[in-house]
Amino acid sequence: MNVVHPFEGIGASVRRKEDRRFLSGRGQYTDDINRPGQLYAHILRSPHAHARIGAIDTTAARAMPGVEAIYTSADMAGIGGLPCGWQIHNKDGTPMAEPKHPVLAEGKVRHVGDPVAVVIAATRQQARDAAEAIEVEYDVLPAAATLAQAQAPGAPAVHDDLPANLCYDWHIGEKAAVDAAFAQAAHRVVFETTNNRLVPNAMEPRSAIGDYDATTGEHTLWTTSQNPHVIRLLMGAFVLNLPEAKLRVVAPDVGGGFGSKIYHYAEEAIVTWAAHKLERPVKWTSDRTEAFMSDAHGRDHVTRAELALDKDGKFLALHVQTQANMGAYLSTFAPCVPTYLYATLLAGVYSTPAIYAEVKAVFTHTVPVDAYRGAGRPEATYLLERLVDVAAKQCGFDRVELRRKNFIATDAFPYQTPVALQYDSGDYFSTLDQALQSADWAGFEARRAEAKARGKLRGIGISTYLEACGIAPSAVVGSLGARAGLYEVGTIRVHPTGSVTVLTGAHSHGQGHETTFAQLVADKLGVPVANVDIVHGDTAKVPFGMGTYGSRSLAVGGSAMDKAMDKIIAKGKRIAAHLMEASVEDVEFERGTFRVAGTDKTKALAEVSLAAYVPHNYPIEELEPGLEETAFYDPKNFTYPGGCHIAEVEIEPETGRVQLVNFTAVDDVGRVINPMIVEGQVQGGVAQGVGQALLEACVYDEAGQLVSASMMDYCLPRAEDLAPVSVATHTTLCTHNPLGVKGCGEVGAIGSPPAVINAVVDALRDYGVEHVEMPATPQKIWSILHRQQS
Amino acid sequence: MYDFAYHKPSSLAEAARLLAADPDAKAIAGGHTLLPALKHRLNRPSSLVDLSGIAEMRGIRREGDSLVIGALTRHEAVARSSEVKSAIPALVHLAQHIGDTQVRNRGTIGGSVANNDPAADYPAAVLGLGATVRTSRREIPADEFFLGMFTTALEPDEILTAIAFPIPEKAGYAKMRNPASRYVMAGAFVSKGKMGVRVAINGAGPCVFRQAAMEAALAANWSPEAVAGIKQSADGLNSDIHGSAEYRAHLVSVMAKRAVQAAG
Ligand SMILES: Cc1cc2nc3c(=O)[nH]c(=O)nc-3n(C[C@H](O)[C@H](O)[C@H](O)COP(=O)(O)OP(=O)(O)OC[C@H]3O[C@@H](n4cnc5c(N)ncnc54)[C@H](O)[C@@H]3O)c2cc1C
């Protein structure tokens, strides 16, 4: 790679261009946008987890000041349900159960927060006032919120035609091989665990504005989305039946997503549909409580795993049985999370030769569950990395050596796992060694003793993880049930004077794309970062795109941009050859300059672009004017970041409070474009991982009420809950994308939870504690210590 | 939030008259309890009587061997007051650890005490120091002020104007915070002085209360060990997803011990 501007190209910690806008309060988020004549929607939501809907009386509400319209499902006849983008097949080959997900509840409500009616009024307050005046007759039914409740005999059915609440019963791997290996294993280690349900809580709540231009028949939807083209596709084709050309979807500045803004939500369809019906713009913005009961949740697995080891500690086989809570309806990508984003990761960084995983997805009377930062990979990593620690303890191996013994050898790549994936590159030994050193693993016992003198229980925990991201090869995911392609699109528009606009289908909602992507252009085309503009988030501007999730923006979107730049260079060489009266084969491009090889004849990119737009002296017979190229890049494989996380905690035995005191991450994210942004991404991910491990729990009670429906009860990490997070990288390049990049958006949230819990269990080692479920709250730790003492 | 009328009187008498004239009117001070409740539509006052323009409810001053803090005094002002620091340092510590910076810069001592949230900080100090609550009508001893969960001896149109804290020989406060809300899950305020030995427990029960067994133990032997071994009964204590009654009962002993340690 040619670094033209050494401080701006690949590898430079260029300051984030977008931060000037964000830090000065001048971001343009959806709720900042107001359309002339705009009305406001308020959604009346179910207060019950499960009820039959009787009469809905809107008479009084309709008469209230400012009310323009009130709609229920009866008004939306002919509107499709919210589609699911991934179909899983059962063990017996039949497709999963896919009950309708109506935009507004039809006949029944199935979770607290299920939308029942929408009020549209002149102001937000008026819409809300009127919603309170709507009388809904509910025949309240028993509910099942947890996996155990929903699978108990005689459990209430979430969907009447699915009495067992089963969405699918799926498997992967070779059962016979696993059984055979278990039969001759020296050790068998069983581990059971729950992966706690989480609420993503992006800082910006969801919002949507529908607008309709009766003169052109064009619909516009502004929405808090990570993937506006996908929303256009899903909503246009499946819900509202609108052609792409008449539907523009704009996702402007978006304040965090973490997965929760991937999906197509009912409110987007409601405002788009209502704006057409009323011929007035309609805005809806969620408040925090509404977000808790309507944004897709994450995780929520219950798993039993069994590991077979030989007498030396070599892993022989792994058998995993997981139940996954889907919530009341299938969210857009929900079915693939506990299957292809989870069970395929169960080899982890280990050379376990035989793996068999069975996954049952279950409907419950809760908010739909879908991908949340890491999606499936945190669940797999947590399971494996706890299991390895449990195995080490039970069988008497050193936990670090047990890992090292089972690592995939560095010269074994490409490595085919028994669960479908083929890893292209990695070096788990180096990330482990670097992390052990950086965290001073060897010096831990002294720190533990020092803490003990202060009355604290100190523990250290490790996790050596791997994940699969950069999703994904379209043909592969298609064969696994995806109903979309997962390529990405990039357009490079070189303007007449040589500045560049990039159109990308990836969407930035905190990741710093405007900087990182500009660095790619600076590095390859030699255009200063300041002269590169990144455009994203508007279907009217960007040709197409699949959006940002699964740490795919750079690996897939960046690769598309790289391919488009190759086309720019190829065309530029032809123009330059003409200008310099040389043959194309003799023209080289480097550092923004075209040169006739071996001569001092050169043309700058800006001279070539000027000729392209002012084609007076131009090979017009053979070449079109202009300098703009688009590439669709379909990845050849997933990318496989991995690494080692080490956490150190101190427990205060009197109160049970766990304090993270140190965190070390050494990650292999492939080639690093902007180290500062990578560090920030890893730290943010670690914060969320620590949140899952120590603080966050989405709790439903027996009746299906959401107990943790606000920040008063749902505990997000605060600064004081964290510790200095040291981030370093050790790079092996991705072998199949042109940039050699892997992805860094999720590694923090994937690698950290087991490191933290392993540290907590280690801190409690003198108390004979085998396991502590997440989150390790003070009360939980105190109960464990208290039980041990009495 | 529902619509309401807004008044900003400049005298206590006028504020009292506005409140007396309308049974659905409500006083507002820092608004950091009332506004969230209004936003969640949990409360529907016909009008708000903003107390912030009433000069006679402001200020921190010494009156003999008492420290008098005006009801409108913000938590941050107490946290930074050298007057408070020299008289009752435990109160500075308490104020410094209420909520976060934004909360401390809006919330008032009067609002906190009038609200009597079982998980609030100030009620522990008022009861634990044996303070006197001054109102637009009378003076109410702490022991008669806190009646139950969110309930006090204040009449609907009665305004809390100041709190007079007897300056103790020693006082200390310790609390365990609810990990999510950061309100008090269990706390203890201990003091020793002319009001005797007092131990007030907040967060753990539906209302701040005095812990008689601990007071007796400390009266006999003022030391952390004296209270550490005294078990609080879990009966009647609060229980939620963050802390069972048993856990809170346990924390009461731990916090009492720490409060005595802090008091020195
Ligand atoms: C995020 C957050 C975190 C918080 N954390 C904590 C915490 O850790 N610990 C803690 O103790 N508190 C906490 N609080 C509450 C905060 O301290 C409040 O400000 C305080 O409890 C109420 O004071 P206020 O002045 O805001 O009262 P307001 O909200 O204005 O009023 C509260 C109630 O008291 C009444 N009232 C107010 N002043 C008077 C008066 N002078 N006479 C009669 N009635 C009156 C009002 O009518 C109302 O009913 C927190 C608040 C928030 C928003």
Side-chain angles (χ1 to χ4, degrees):
Chain A
M1 280 302 127
N2 306 316
V3 180
V4 182
H5 299 275
F7 303 114
E8 294 194 340
I10 289 176
S13 286
V14 175
R15 286 228 203 156
R16 298 187 359 144
K17 289 170 73 173
E18 46 272 81
D19 284 350
R20 201 182 163 92
R21 180 164 95 244
F22 296 146
L23 296 178
S24 59
R26 279 176 290 186
Q28 273 288 304
Y29 297 89
T30 301
D31 195 55
D32 292 326
I33 295 167
N34 292 297
R35 306 293 299 162
Q38 174 177 293
L39 300 170
Y40 293 84
H42 179 81
I43 314 272
L44 179 67
R45 297 181 183 277
S46 170
H48 306 294
H50 189 198
R52 216 169 286 288
I53 304 174
I56 303 180
D57 185 354
T58 59
T59 328
R62 272 179 215 278
M64 296 202 27
V67 174
E68 291 284 335
I70 297 178
Y71 302 118
T72 65
S73 63
D75 301 293
M76 296 190 85
I79 301 296
L82 301 172
C84 178
W86 204 296
Q87 188 181 47
I88 295 297
H89 286 82
N90 292 305
K91 284 175 178 168
D92 65 8
T94 56
M96 68 184 189
E98 206 172 340
K100 184 175 181 189
H101 185 180
V103 169
L104 291 174
E106 295 173 355
K108 253 187 167 190
V109 286
R110 297 187 174 84
H111 66 86
V112 170
D114 209 358
V116 174
V118 54
V119 181
I120 295 166
T123 71
R124 216 167 267 191
Q125 292 304 324
Q126 287 172 332
R128 200 166 164 181
D129 287 345
E132 285 179 7
I134 297 177
E135 288 184 24
V136 185
E137 275 178 19
Y138 289 110
D139 174 15
V140 178
L141 302 168
T146 62
L147 285 161
Q149 277 179 302
Q151 294 177 96
V158 180
H159 299 278
D160 294 345
D161 52 344
L162 299 172
N165 290 320
L166 188 68
C167 174
Y168 57 74
D169 181 5
W170 171 92
H171 65 166
I172 191 169
E174 298 291 333
K175 183 170 191 309
V178 167
D179 289 345
F182 268 98
Q184 23 162 296
H187 305 282
R188 296 172 71 135
V189 178
V190 175
F191 174 59
E192 291 179 346
T193 191
T194 296
N195 202 283
N196 44 330
R197 187 183 183 107
L198 303 176
V199 184
N201 270 304
M203 197 180 293
E204 178 206 21
R206 287 190 299 117
S207 178
I209 308 169
D211 201 352
Y212 176 70
D213 183 339
T215 63
T216 60
E218 191 180 281
H219 300 75
T220 304
L221 168 68
W222 286 267
T223 181
T224 46
S225 174
Q226 303 178 211
N227 30 234
H229 288 87
V230 175
I231 300 305
R232 185 181 65 170
L233 186 68
L234 294 174
M235 186 177 80
F238 298 99
V239 186
L240 298 181
N241 195 15
L242 299 171
E244 280 95 334
K246 294 293 181 200
L247 174 57
R248 174 182 175 196
V249 178
V250 186
D253 285 332
V254 173
F258 313 113
S260 72
K261 292 173 182 167
I262 299 172
Y263 323 115
H264 176 36
Y265 286 98
E267 296 84 0
E268 294 170 322
I270 290 170
V271 297
T272 308
W273 175 83
H276 184 173
K277 195 141 168 112
L278 298 168
E279 295 197 9
R280 296 269 299 272
V282 176
K283 177 191 273 191
W284 168 82
T285 300
S286 170
D287 66 25
R288 186 60 62 183
T289 302
E290 211 176 354
F292 270 97
M293 53 173 126
S294 71
D295 293 2
H297 292 175
R299 320 280 192 254
D300 204 342
H301 286 192
V302 172
T303 296
R304 179 187 190 278
E306 191 169 5
L307 180 68
L309 303 88
D310 74 10
K311 64 176 190 349
D312 302 322
K314 265 288 207 195
F315 301 162
L316 301 176
L318 176 65
H319 183 191
V320 172
Q321 291 160 298
T322 290
Q323 303 155 33
N325 194 336
M326 292 284 103
Y329 306 99
L330 291 179
S331 174
T332 312
F333 288 114
C336 82
V337 176
T339 49
Y340 293 107
L341 293 179
Y342 165 73
T344 52
L345 271 298
L346 288 170
V349 289
Y350 308 112
S351 57
T352 316
I355 298 175
Y356 179 60
E358 301 168 274
V359 179
K360 271 188 188 166
V362 177
F363 290 110
T364 62
H365 290 105
T366 63
V367 173
V369 178
D370 208 325
Y372 166 58
R373 200 168 192 170
R377 291 97 84 207
E379 294 91 316
T381 303
Y382 179 71
L383 181 71
L384 271 181
E385 291 305 296
R386 281 293 300 128
L387 179 57
V388 172
D389 258 37
V390 170
K393 200 175 214 171
Q394 278 184 18
C395 310
F397 298 110
D398 175 81
R399 52 191 162 147
V400 173
E401 288 320 307
L402 185 63
R403 284 177 166 84
R404 212 192 293 268
K405 174 177 271 196
N406 286 285
F407 277 169
I408 296 160
T410 308
D411 60 7
F413 296 94
Y415 176 79
Q416 178 62 51
T417 73
V419 275
L421 298 178
Q422 191 187 75
Y423 306 162
D424 64 331
S425 66
D427 173 2
Y428 314 127
F429 297 90
S430 294
T431 43
L432 172 69
D433 290 340
Q434 203 174 319
L436 290 173
Q437 177 135 32
S438 162
D440 187 22
W441 182 272
F444 171 72
E445 290 306 323
R447 296 195 291 283
R448 183 176 161 96
E450 183 277 330
K452 194 165 184 185
R454 284 185 283 114
K456 299 281 173 75
L457 307 172
R458 191 162 172 131
I460 192 165
I462 191 166
S463 135
T464 49
Y465 76 93
L466 163 138
E467 66 130 331
C469 64
I471 47 179
S474 296
V476 173
V477 295
S479 73
L480 302 180
R483 289 166 168 157
L486 285 170
Y487 49 83
E488 199 44 83
V489 186
T491 296
I492 303 289
R493 180 177 292 159
V494 184
H495 296 286
T497 62
S499 65
V500 171
T501 297
V502 178
L503 313 178
T504 173
H507 185 280
S508 188
H509 33 278
Q511 295 87 342
H513 291 174
E514 289 169 45
T515 307
T516 303
F517 290 173
Q519 287 181 257
L520 295 182
V521 177
D523 197 83
K524 190 147 176 162
L525 298 185
V527 179
V529 161
N531 291 349
V532 182
D533 227 31
I534 308 296
V535 173
H536 65 93
D538 187 344
T539 63
K541 292 180 181 164
V542 178
F544 203 75
M546 296 309 296
T548 286
Y549 39 83
S551 304
R552 68 192 302 276
S553 304
L554 188 61
V556 192
S559 294
M561 291 165 49
D562 191 71
K563 294 279 184 201
M565 287 193 280
D566 285 341
K567 293 185 189 180
I568 292 283
I569 293 167
K571 183 171 180 180
K573 281 183 179 170
R574 294 175 70 183
I575 302 169
H578 176 90
L579 295 177
M580 296 188 286
E581 297 175 346
S583 93
V584 185
E585 297 75 54
D586 293 339
V587 177
E588 297 168 340
F589 179 75
E590 200 186 3
R591 303 180 173 178
T593 303
F594 295 92
R595 174 187 303 273
V596 180
T599 75
D600 58 1
K601 266 201 196 168
T602 61
K603 285 284 170 197
L605 177 66
E607 293 176 276
V608 168
S609 60
L610 190 65
Y613 288 94
V614 188
H616 296 164
N617 174 19
Y618 194 82
I620 201 86
E621 298 292 320
E622 324 146 15
L623 211 55
E624 292 171 13
L627 197 54
E628 169 166 334
E629 297 290 349
T630 293
F632 281 55
Y633 175 77
D634 201 286
K636 296 188 188 66
N637 191 353
F638 294 84
T639 58
Y640 299 97
C644 179
H645 288 184
I646 295 176
E648 236 171 287
V649 301
E650 280 187 7
I651 294 176
E652 189 179 73
E654 274 185 334
T655 60
R657 192 174 135 73
V658 181
Q659 176 70 49
L660 183 73
V661 290
N662 232 323
F663 197 96
T664 305
V666 178
D667 300 298
D668 176 1
V669 299
R671 190 187 306 281
V672 174
I673 308 300
N674 183 318
M676 177 195 73
I677 288 179
V678 168
E679 185 181 10
Q681 288 287 308
V682 174
Q683 286 175 335
V686 168
Q688 280 174 310
V690 171
Q692 169 161 34
L694 297 181
L695 309 166
E696 298 183 41
C698 174
V699 180
Y700 280 92
D701 70 10
E702 290 277 308
Q705 284 296 326
L706 181 56
V707 179
S708 55
S710 82
M711 300 293 186
M712 292 296 278
D713 285 305
Y714 188 85
C715 185
L716 285 179
R718 292 163 164 91
E720 70 175 45
D721 297 315
L722 299 168
V725 176
S726 139
V727 178
T729 53
H730 173 87
T731 301
T732 65
L733 296 180
C734 168
T735 61
H736 56 79
N737 66 40
L739 297 167
V741 298
K742 295 184 176 179
C744 67
E746 295 160 297
V747 293
I750 292 168
S752 58
V756 174
I757 294 297
N758 285 341
V760 169
V761 174
D762 183 51
L764 300 174
R765 68 169 100 122
D766 295 343
Y767 294 80
V769 174
E770 290 271 313
H771 180 56
V772 177
E773 291 278 36
M774 299 190 289
T777 60
Q779 167 169 245
K780 204 177 277 175
I781 300 290
W782 174 77
S783 308
I784 291 169
L785 293 174
H786 187 65
R787 242 198 342 262
Q788 302 291 337
Q789 280 155 5
S790 58
Chain B
M1 172 180 313
Y2 300 104
D3 282 350
F4 52 81
Y6 173 79
H7 306 287
K8 190 171 177 185
S10 53
S11 74
L12 190 57
E14 196 189 339
R17 202 179 54 248
L18 285 163
L19 287 170
D22 177 358
D24 293 327
K26 235 177 158 22
I28 184 163
H32 261 45
T33 292
L34 189 51
L35 282 179
L38 296 182
K39 285 185 177 171
H40 281 108
R41 298 186 161 217
L42 297 172
N43 216 314
R44 191 171 196 164
S46 52
S47 63
L48 290 187
V49 179
D50 184 348
L51 304 176
S52 66
I54 305 172
E56 54 214 280
M57 290 172 63
R58 300 191 170 277
I60 300 174
R61 59 193 176 273
R62 281 287 269 267
E63 283 182 13
D65 48 14
S66 283
L67 180 76
V68 179
I69 303 182
L72 288 175
T73 310
R74 301 196 198 285
H75 309 330
E76 191 63 26
V78 173
R80 289 171 186 272
S81 160
S82 50
E83 193 83 52
V84 181
K85 189 165 182 162
S86 65
I88 317 177
L91 217 43
V92 169
H93 170 81
L94 177 147
Q96 279 170 340
H97 292 87
I98 296 175
D100 53 33
T101 310
Q102 288 87 337
V103 171
R104 289 193 294 275
N105 277 290
R106 287 299 309 172
T108 66
I109 189 170
S112 176
V113 173
N115 191 53
N116 192 20
D117 185 325
D121 290 284
Y122 269 124
V126 173
L127 190 63
L129 287 163
T132 299
V133 176
R134 296 184 182 171
T135 80
S136 47
R137 299 186 186 165
R138 53 185 168 149
E139 298 204 343
I140 311 171
D143 286 326
E144 292 161 26
F145 184 80
F146 301 105
L147 302 184
M149 190 142 123
F150 295 106
T151 315
T152 68
L154 289 175
E155 296 297 329
D157 61 344
E158 186 172 10
I159 297 168
L160 195 164
T161 55
I163 294 166
F165 294 97
I167 296 168
E169 279 167 46
K170 285 178 175 187
Y173 180 57
K175 65 173 169 178
M176 173 79 177
R177 292 196 283 195
N178 171 319
S181 72
R182 306 281 161 124
Y183 274 82
V184 185
M185 193 140 72
F189 197 106
V190 302
S191 78
K192 179 184 185 184
K194 77 170 202 293
M195 303 302 292
V197 168
R198 299 175 72 98
V199 177
I201 304 298
N202 58 345
C207 180
V208 62
F209 63 91
R210 286 177 65 182
Q211 224 293 359
M214 290 183 179
E215 289 181 352
L218 284 177
N221 169 19
W222 180 270
S223 75
E225 297 72 41
V227 284
I230 297 183
K231 293 230 182 314
Q232 163 70 41
S233 159
D235 287 350
L237 295 194
N238 298 340
S239 186
D240 59 25
I241 56 173
H242 307 285
S244 63
E246 291 70 31
Y247 180 48
R248 284 181 153 91
H250 163 79
L251 289 177
V252 166
S253 308
V254 177
M255 295 306 135
K257 180 185 83 177
R258 291 184 183 179
V260 178
Q261 258 159 5

